[in-house]
Amino acid sequence: MVLERMEVVSRGNNLLGLTQSASQGVVGRPEFEFRPWMRIGELVEVVPGMLATQHSGDGKANQYFLRGFNLDHGTDFAAFLDGVPLNLPTHGHGQGYLDLNPLIPELIDYVEFGKGPYYTDVGDFSAAGYARFHTAKRLPKGFFRQTFGSDKYFRSVAADSFEFGQSSLLLGGEAAVFDGPWDEPMDQKSFKGLLNYSFEGTGRGFTLGINTYYSDWTATDQIPERAVQQGLISRLGTMDPTDGGQSHRFGITFNGWNDSFLGQTRLTLYSYYSDLRLYSNFTFFLDDPENGDQLWQKDRRVVSGAHLDHHWHLTTFGIDHGLRLGAQLRHDFIPKVALYHTQRRKILEATRIDEVDETAVAGYLEATSRWHEKVRTTVGLRGDVFLFDVQSRFLPANSGKAADGKISPKFALVLGPWYETEAYFNYGFGFHSNDARGTVTRRDPKSGEAVQPVDPMVRARGFEAGVRTYLIPGLSSTLALWQLRLDSELVFVGDAGTTEPSGESKRYGIEFSNYYRALDWLVLEFDLALTRARFLNATTHANHVPNSVGRVITGGIVVDHPSGGFGAIRVRHFGAVPLNEAGTREAGSTTLVNLGLGWRFWQDRLRVAFDILNLTDSRDFDIAYFYASRLPGEAEGVEDVHFHPVMPRQFRGTVQVFF
């Protein structure tokens, strides 16, 4: 379900009658406008229970955690920008690679989200959930925003919109540099641009959008605990100062809509170019004691696609029905996806170079019926077909074609409302696709040994029961109990810097989300998510899912006082995380507090703000893994915890001028 745009979108909006699950919702700009951000990817944390962390330079996609998944860079969480899918399959670094760095938070109008595989219009990578980011079409005022911060942080954002009768033009851009607190400066430079041209007529309209992005950085990747304990490096140090990368993106999007007596029609057309060059060294000298284990992962592609959705109403025997019919087409042309062995960014040898064509075709049908004033059902059916064509430049045995398809039924029952409360029951099937190269690979590109191809598509099955209530004035609360089974898990592999399929898994948990507008100018938030994740068909002593976060607590206070003062304090906590299947090694809990304070001047023509990120100067882990690596002088590999620390306390000041 795509929620209808509200005049003022807010997490506190009454969604009774508009959603088909307790864990589906919408968050508007008022909820995140004053939130202090450590990094752009944290914008996804507007989804209750979700976390975004980092184990490398800030130009790389974040690590995402939701419902007991270490989503790596996006394997089971789908994201869209103005209807355009952002996850990249068959990617050089990780399946479903999801980079949110191209977003400009000041130009995001609202975010829709849902959890679980219950929504017919969302397919690949959405077993855990999805988020739809919508950019603004016009601004009440143009602005220029300048931020200065610790460790040579400078960020400039400017945007304005112009009205031409029924049309409007929005222009925006961002430039930022940041060294970070690391011993080896990150030296990040990023540039973004956005243009939206919109036309709104009577019952019809369209938006044509163009966006660009470029980033270059040096990365401090995860480091072994023993290297810090032995004094070889500090906890802000690096084992390979030449890690890092470059990322480019350029895209064009068309969104058209038409409302008539025949129903509502929505059409999205898109095409974008993406290029990532990523240098990483996870195991240091484990495989090559002389030259080191640095990897260069290269991904260059053009993505094109379309999404057509038609919605209409009809009444039969006094029962109202809403019908949706949709079709989706996507093609990824990947002329080069490659893995090289490098030393200080110099190529030593090519491990694998492939050219890939990947096509995804989907269709769906959904019927929402109101059988009674208090009884509503949604029944959906989605079909997906994937076509893979892989051409290996080195091993002909690893070239080939593959195809697969899945039918995914969905069901939702909504009861109520009674006393401003609805109850939801959901059941559905979903999936994630696997890397196209894995579906045809028959020889390990390093050893040459025979291997078995992986299944092109992996089935997910989910169930959820929940309630949403607005019984207490000003308070929006949801409670959800859920379960999800996945036929195959993707687990991080340190020596490859990527993921590999593992066994079947089961997750279940409880989520409790609250948004309370105590006063017109005061909002309180509290979200709790508890999850248990286990491998099935494994011994009871080796069934933990590594990096599955079992406890997430987030909350905050947002103030927007009529006198001109504004601010927010935000707390995010996640509990201890198992690092191996046996559960014998784990990373401790992490708690971060961010504080932002500001004031308006001259009838809100000028804003001055000051943020303190990691207010308590926590020394917790942002993320940790457990695997073998070898340091200089070690005779063999040693299994160890490899971690990336949270960023030490940061100070940032912002001046924003409106015109």
Side-chain angles (χ1 to χ4, degrees):
M1 174 182 290
V2 178
L3 302 179
E4 296 184 4
R5 177 72 167 93
M6 299 180 181
E7 187 64 26
V8 178
V9 176
S10 166
R11 187 176 169 188
N13 283 136
N14 193 318
L15 299 179
L16 298 181
L18 297 177
T19 66
Q20 63 188 59
S21 77
S23 56
Q24 191 178 29
V26 60
V27 179
R29 176 144 197 85
E31 276 68 65
F32 54 81
E33 183 175 14
F34 303 129
R35 185 180 292 191
W37 307 103
M38 183 76 78
R39 54 179 69 95
I40 300 297
E42 290 177 7
L43 184 59
V44 80
E45 293 184 4
V46 300
V47 179
M50 191 160 189
L51 298 171
T53 66
Q54 185 58 276
H55 74 131
S56 186
D58 283 359
K60 184 180 177 182
N62 293 95
Q63 302 285 119
Y64 308 104
F65 296 86
L66 179 68
R67 289 196 162 181
F69 280 93
N70 173 5
L71 299 163
D72 194 51
H73 297 293
T75 306
D76 287 285
F77 185 82
F80 305 83
L81 177 62
D82 295 325
V84 178
L86 299 179
N87 300 73
L88 300 179
T90 312
H91 190 267
H93 182 66
Q95 177 68 350
Y97 187 81
L98 173 59
D99 188 2
L100 298 180
N101 286 303
L103 302 183
I104 303 176
E106 291 85 354
L107 299 183
I108 298 298
D109 191 17
Y110 65 105
V111 183
E112 298 175 68
F113 65 87
K115 303 175 193 174
Y118 316 124
Y119 317 101
T120 57
D121 58 341
V122 190
D124 202 6
F125 305 122
S126 64
Y130 72 88
R132 301 181 187 274
F133 299 91
H134 298 266
T135 58
K137 304 301 181 291
R138 57 185 60 82
L139 300 173
K141 298 177 184 178
F143 69 86
F144 173 76
R145 179 185 178 103
Q146 180 64 56
T147 302
F148 307 88
S150 307
D151 301 311
K152 298 182 180 179
Y153 180 91
F154 302 95
R155 179 174 180 264
S156 303
V157 184
D160 200 0
S161 60
F162 309 89
E163 303 291 329
F164 308 98
Q166 293 178 302
S167 302
S168 62
L169 177 68
L170 184 147
L171 297 171
E174 174 191 319
V177 297
F178 186 33
D179 271 358
W182 319 111
D183 293 348
E184 180 67 30
M186 184 162 56
D187 191 27
Q188 183 187 15
K189 299 175 287 291
S190 66
F191 306 93
K192 308 173 191 178
L194 174 68
L195 181 151
N196 276 339
Y197 175 78
S198 301
F199 169 81
E200 292 190 16
T202 302
R204 62 178 59 87
F206 70 87
T207 297
L208 181 66
I210 297 175
N211 57 74
T212 63
Y213 169 68
Y214 167 82
S215 184
D216 182 285
W217 69 96
T218 298
T220 294
D221 280 319
Q222 65 247 29
I223 56 176
E225 276 192 325
R226 67 187 187 281
V228 178
Q229 294 168 353
Q230 294 171 15
L232 299 178
I233 57 174
S234 80
R235 62 186 303 274
L236 300 178
T238 179
M239 295 301 301
D240 193 333
T242 64
D243 287 351
Q246 289 183 340
S247 183
H248 311 254
R249 190 179 187 276
F250 176 83
I252 183 168
T253 308
F254 172 86
N255 278 292
W257 54 273
N258 182 75
D259 293 344
S260 69
F261 68 95
L262 296 175
Q264 302 171 334
T265 304
R266 302 289 185 266
L267 174 65
T268 298
L269 303 173
Y270 60 88
S271 183
Y272 61 89
Y273 169 81
S274 173
D275 189 339
L276 177 69
R277 306 171 188 181
L278 186 64
Y279 296 89
S280 308
N281 191 341
F282 301 105
T283 52
F284 319 122
F285 294 92
L286 181 67
D287 296 327
D288 188 339
E290 181 179 350
N291 300 304
D293 300 346
Q294 188 182 68
L295 309 171
W296 177 25
Q297 294 165 317
K298 167 73 174 174
D299 187 280
R300 178 164 53 92
R301 71 180 64 209
V302 176
V303 184
S304 301
H307 182 183
L308 179 64
D309 182 281
H310 185 71
H311 184 206
W312 69 98
H313 290 86
L314 57 89
T315 301
T316 58
F317 303 105
I319 299 173
D320 291 331
H321 304 277
L323 301 179
R324 290 183 70 194
L325 180 65
Q328 296 168 341
L329 172 66
R330 170 176 175 166
H331 180 75
D332 286 64
F333 170 58
I334 314 172
K336 190 173 187 179
V337 54
L339 176 64
Y340 300 89
H341 179 200
T342 59
Q343 182 185 43
R344 302 184 65 84
R345 301 198 182 192
K346 301 297 183 182
I347 296 176
L348 299 178
E349 61 178 340
T351 303
R352 180 164 190 170
I353 303 177
D354 298 276
E355 178 181 320
V356 180
D357 281 281
E358 180 168 336
T359 302
V361 181
Y364 59 87
L365 177 64
E366 180 182 278
T368 299
S369 304
R370 188 171 291 278
W371 306 99
H372 181 271
E373 182 183 4
K374 307 291 186 181
V375 180
R376 173 165 48 98
T377 62
T378 298
V379 179
L381 191 66
R382 179 185 177 91
D384 289 87
V385 174
F386 280 76
L387 306 173
F388 306 116
D389 187 350
V390 180
Q391 299 299 320
S392 173
R393 296 192 185 178
F394 291 154
L395 284 174
N398 288 340
S399 296
K401 297 182 180 182
D404 198 5
K406 286 270 190 280
I407 299 295
S408 303
K410 325 274 186 174
F411 175 76
L413 170 65
V414 184
L415 303 177
W418 293 281
Y419 302 102
E420 291 296 301
T421 302
E422 280 186 338
Y424 306 85
F425 302 89
N426 301 90
Y427 185 77
F429 289 77
F431 69 95
H432 72 237
S433 65
N434 273 330
D435 192 304
R437 293 168 294 178
T439 67
V440 299
T441 294
R442 289 172 174 79
R443 294 286 175 182
D444 185 282
K446 280 190 175 182
S447 66
E449 296 179 356
V451 295
Q452 289 295 320
V454 300
D455 292 332
M457 302 171 71
V458 175
R459 171 67 78 193
R461 299 172 296 281
F463 168 79
E464 180 176 308
V467 295
R468 183 193 311 271
T469 182
Y470 301 89
L471 180 61
I472 300 175
L475 176 63
S476 168
S477 295
T478 62
L479 178 68
L481 303 172
W482 61 273
Q483 177 182 290
L484 182 68
R485 290 196 178 204
L486 202 63
D487 284 352
S488 176
E489 192 82 17
L490 289 178
V491 177
F492 181 85
V493 181
D495 59 0
T498 185
T499 55
E500 70 178 15
S502 186
E504 183 181 3
S505 63
K506 176 182 177 181
R507 291 170 168 80
Y508 56 91
I510 182 172
E511 295 172 340
F512 183 42
S513 301
N514 300 272
Y515 175 93
Y516 181 47
R517 182 168 292 279
L519 300 167
D520 289 341
W521 51 270
L522 177 63
V523 170
L524 310 177
E525 296 178 86
F526 174 77
D527 302 314
L528 170 67
L530 301 175
T531 302
R532 180 180 171 89
R534 292 292 186 268
F535 285 119
L536 301 178
N537 303 319
T539 66
T540 57
H541 301 293
N543 63 353
H544 292 262
V545 178
N547 295 108
S548 56
V549 176
R551 180 178 68 249
V552 177
I553 301 174
T554 57
I557 302 173
V558 179
V559 174
D560 188 8
H561 198 272
S563 65
F566 61 88
I569 186 167
R570 189 79 185 170
V571 179
R572 58 192 289 266
H573 164 88
F574 59 91
V577 179
L579 299 181
N580 60 358
E581 286 85 349
T584 56
R585 299 302 297 264
E586 66 176 23
S589 62
T590 294
T591 302
L592 287 177
V593 181
N594 294 334
L595 173 68
L597 300 171
W599 198 271
R600 295 181 173 88
F601 298 92
W602 300 331
Q603 297 180 329
D604 202 18
R605 294 184 179 180
L606 172 67
R607 294 182 186 179
V608 177
F610 182 69
D611 294 343
I612 306 177
L613 307 174
N614 190 2
L615 179 67
T616 62
D617 201 24
S618 167
R619 295 170 62 88
D620 294 336
F621 294 167
D622 223 359
I623 195 168
Y625 299 98
F626 183 70
Y627 57 87
S629 63
R630 178 155 55 173
L631 305 180
E634 290 183 334
E636 58 184 11
V638 177
E639 287 194 324
D640 196 5
V641 173
H642 296 72
F643 72 96
H644 193 267
V646 298
M647 200 174 294
R649 185 187 293 120
Q650 298 281 297
F651 299 94
R652 294 178 186 174
T654 299
V655 177
Q656 187 168 2
V657 179
F658 294 88
F659 47 83

